[in-house]
């Protein structure tokens, strides 16, 4: 989890006109199947962060007991490695400023998918991609096609869609954000979501 603020998803059930139709589901919600990585790969041809290179970084931190992060610039070139705590990564003010327009890869030792704080950080710092290493996979999320970076405006829509969609899930699914809820939110808002399986450790 990226710790930025104590904010929680908004309580307002209003939703932008662009996505209003999909924001109010039937009471019997259908969990979408997991999205597996398929072409096109999230990053443009010519970017230095290939699937193989991204996987090597992910394998380095997948089994760590603390949260670690790799930060890459907008083109995928490595910038720095950060060491966090068991459930979060805290940042100094100068480090926060350096997250703008970056690609952020970090692990979740407890095996969960994106936390809401992860998505909030991606939007506040207008990241190009937020990704989580959990178990044997990398989960990647990017803004809708045509938008290179996350934004505060997009956070507004994600907050409300997340809250509305969560309301129709079993209580057990609401306590900890799962890949199921993010699949649904991604489909509603045209977010680009991928899962890349890592090599099995022998």
């Amino acid at each position: 989890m990226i710790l930025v603020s104590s904010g929680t998803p908004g309580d307002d059930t209003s939703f932008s006109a662009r996505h209003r139709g999909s924001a109010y589901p039937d009471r019997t919600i259908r969990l979408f199947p997991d999205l597996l990585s398929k072409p096109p790969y999230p990053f443009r041809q010519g970017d230095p962060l290939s699937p193989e290179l991204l996987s090597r970084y992910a394998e380095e931190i997948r089994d760590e007991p603390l949260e670690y992060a790799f930060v890459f610039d907008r083109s995928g070139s490595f910038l720095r490695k950060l060491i966090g705590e068991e459930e979060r990564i805290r940042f100094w003010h100068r480090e926060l400023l350096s997250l703008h327009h970056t690609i952020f890869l970090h692990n979740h030792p407890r095996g969960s998918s994106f936390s809401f704080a992860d998505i909030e950080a991606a939007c506040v710092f207008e990241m190009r991609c937020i990704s989580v290493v959990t178990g044997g996979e990398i989960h990647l999320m990017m803004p809708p096609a045509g938008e290179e970076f996350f934004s505060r405006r997009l956070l507004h829509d994600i907050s409300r869609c997340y809250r509305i969609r969560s309301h129709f899930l079993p209580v057990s699914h609401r306590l900890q954000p799962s890949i199921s809820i993010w699949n649904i939110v991604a489909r509603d808002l045209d977010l680009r979501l991928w899962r890349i399986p890592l090599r099995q450790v022998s």
Side-chain angles (χ1 to χ4, degrees):
M1 177 175 68
I2 304 173
L3 189 63
V4 177
S5 71
S6 58
T8 56
D11 292 331
D12 183 7
T13 56
S14 64
F15 207 67
S16 68
R18 176 184 176 192
H19 306 294
R20 189 174 299 280
S22 61
Y24 298 92
D26 296 332
R27 283 206 168 271
T28 304
I29 192 166
R30 181 174 78 253
L31 294 182
F32 292 108
D34 292 339
L35 302 178
L36 297 176
S37 58
K38 296 179 180 179
Y41 181 63
F43 306 115
R44 287 191 290 262
Q45 186 174 9
D47 285 355
L49 200 58
S50 66
E52 295 75 22
L53 182 58
L54 185 70
S55 295
R56 286 203 294 272
Y57 280 108
E59 288 165 0
E60 185 177 328
I61 60 176
R62 63 183 288 182
D63 298 319
E64 291 290 345
L66 303 179
E67 284 203 16
Y68 285 76
F70 291 110
V71 184
F72 308 88
D73 69 15
R74 63 197 295 174
S75 298
S77 297
F78 175 75
L79 294 177
R80 64 184 59 82
K81 181 179 181 179
L82 303 172
I83 303 175
E85 303 170 10
E86 186 175 349
E87 296 184 17
R88 63 184 57 87
I89 297 175
R90 297 182 185 271
F91 298 93
W92 297 102
H93 181 68
R94 184 171 295 179
E95 289 175 329
L96 286 175
L97 294 177
S98 69
L99 295 179
H100 193 253
H101 285 184
T102 56
I103 297 166
F104 195 92
L105 171 70
H106 68 301
N107 65 319
H108 278 180
R110 292 177 177 249
S112 60
S113 181
F114 299 103
S115 67
F116 192 84
D118 292 337
I119 307 304
E120 182 181 33
C123 292
V124 169
F125 298 107
E126 298 180 352
M127 293 179 181
R128 184 177 180 199
C129 175
I130 182 75
S131 52
V132 174
V133 182
T134 176
E137 298 173 320
I138 311 172
H139 298 241
L140 302 97
M141 188 182 293
M142 297 177 73
E147 299 181 34
E148 187 171 6
F149 304 106
F150 285 97
S151 65
R152 290 178 182 269
R153 176 196 55 76
L154 187 57
L155 177 61
H156 180 275
D157 286 349
I158 293 174
S159 298
R160 281 143 185 81
C161 184
Y162 177 90
R163 184 176 185 276
I164 293 166
R165 285 301 198 176
S166 295
H167 178 74
F168 293 93
L169 291 175
V171 174
S172 60
H173 286 247
R174 303 181 207 172
L175 299 178
Q176 177 68 47
S178 67
I179 191 59
S180 296
I181 187 64
W182 291 123
N183 277 337
I184 295 166
V185 172
R187 296 226 179 186
D188 280 348
L189 302 180
D190 299 323
L191 301 171
R192 291 171 287 170
L193 180 66
W194 287 265
R195 295 173 64 208
I196 300 177
L198 295 175
R199 294 194 300 268
Q200 295 297 320
V201 177
S202 57

